[in-house]
Amino acid sequence: MNYNKKTVKDIDVKGRKVLLRCDFNVPQDKATGAITDDKRIRAALPTIQYLLDQGAAVIACSHLGKPEPSFDKWAKKQAEKGKDPASLTKEKWEKTLEALCMEPVAKRLGELLGRDVVLAGDVVGPDAQAKAAALQPGEIMLLQNTRFEKGETKNDPELAKAMAGLAGADGVYVSDAFGAVHRAHASTAGVAAYLPAVSGFLIEKELEIMGGALADPKRPLVAILGGSKVSSKIGVINHLLDIADMIIIGGGMAYTFAKAQGGSVGTSLLESDWLDYCNEMIAKAKGKGVKLLLPVDTQCAKEFSADAQPELHDTMSIPDGMMGMDIGPKTIEEYAAAVKGAGTVIWNGPMGVFEFANFAEGTRAVAKALAETDAITIIGGGDSAAAVAQLGFADKMTHISTGGGASLEFLEGKELPGVACLLDK
Ligand code: ADP
Ligand code: MG
């Protein structure tokens, strides 16, 4: 996949209308609708400010949550969940849509920018059209939740065309929603068929650093893979085996590897369907001369609980009735040494159940090793990014990817529709 894409710096936007896809999918308080974390809105500010300073008129858009735009489908889904069909009224459905309106986002964006943000009452309807037509250079408006349109997730060309039409004949499309580039939706990919398409600064940075590390890494490239399940990381392991010099395994997936190698893993997380796959990956690593490290020791617990007392065992001989919860001290030492000697480290997946203080040490120690190494350090995956932030090492990393699912698909080497649709440099 080509990661070398044109950016807002490669196109003249002065006096033009820019349809800007952002990732404003922010967490909200269920009861009040208040935004509980505005990080994603803040992250979009540099691109927005640049476009406004350049004299563009900005038509921003994003999805928010998972509204169901069809009443019939909504009612069917609710009924399947066991809700009483008589209670499934149009009014109730409309309330679920109202809860996902862009008002709080427009308000917060306006506060952060220190200027008015015009909010459209629809996505491509008469209100959006009138407001887009009246928008002047240096002004910004926000469309309603793109997923209010049935065609959004289906990448309907009619919807894409109508969205692009808001920017007019001389319009430009700028994509800065890295968190959504793995989805081929109308607003993330479809619109690029109708407007010249470039990236904003967020996507530019993701492509430069993560794309760079995958295409032409500073070696040795060490990939640290953890998290809960092998099955959710098969693509990542397989792809990174093609490009990395060393693969380090931690987290819950380590026990399926250990079992596959003839170990006993007690009640640890185990995916029996993936034992052969683990052995295939070990064989692939051998064949390619890639070092593959498994944890040698493991902090175990009798039950999956925050108060469980840690007990140290060899990973290959975890007693019956005990489960692996975190990597042990010998493993930590070995993994930290590997990180120290690396040119690039890509990390996806916590080393243990870091949410429990008793089992956070492995993840903390690996994060600390990353913070202290001279290597380029890249964090992908939602829980991994949260762990690094929670442990206080976020500002010590070269790059923490802003997209959970998108960063995983990136590491799988998959083509990302929201990137592929942008103009090549
Ligand atoms: P990411 O979102 O970064 O890709 P994952 O979703 O794959 O990461 O995994 C994160 C989860 O893995 C965490 O909630 C963590 O508690 C869990 N995990 C790590 N080690 C273990 C383990 N030994 N047993 C069970 N769960 C684990
Ligand atoms: Mg996760």
Side-chain angles (χ1 to χ4, degrees), residues 1 3 178-183 206 210 214 223-240 243 253 346-350 378-385 399-417:
M1 171 160 176
Y3 304 124
F178 183 72
V181 289
H182 56 314
R183 302 203 169 101
E206 298 276 359
M210 252 215 292
L214 295 178
I224 308 179
L225 301 175
S228 49
K229 294 182 172 173
V230 179
S231 57
S232 65
K233 301 291 165 74
I234 35 171
V236 179
I237 302 173
N238 194 29
H239 185 60
L240 288 176
I243 54 177
M253 70 161 85
I346 297 177
W347 182 15
N348 168 254
I378 299 168
I379 318 295
D383 291 293
S384 311
H399 182 60
I400 300 180
S401 178
T402 53
S407 66
L408 279 190
E409 293 202 17
F410 205 150
L411 294 178
E412 288 173 15
K414 276 198 190 152
E415 176 161 291
L416 304 167

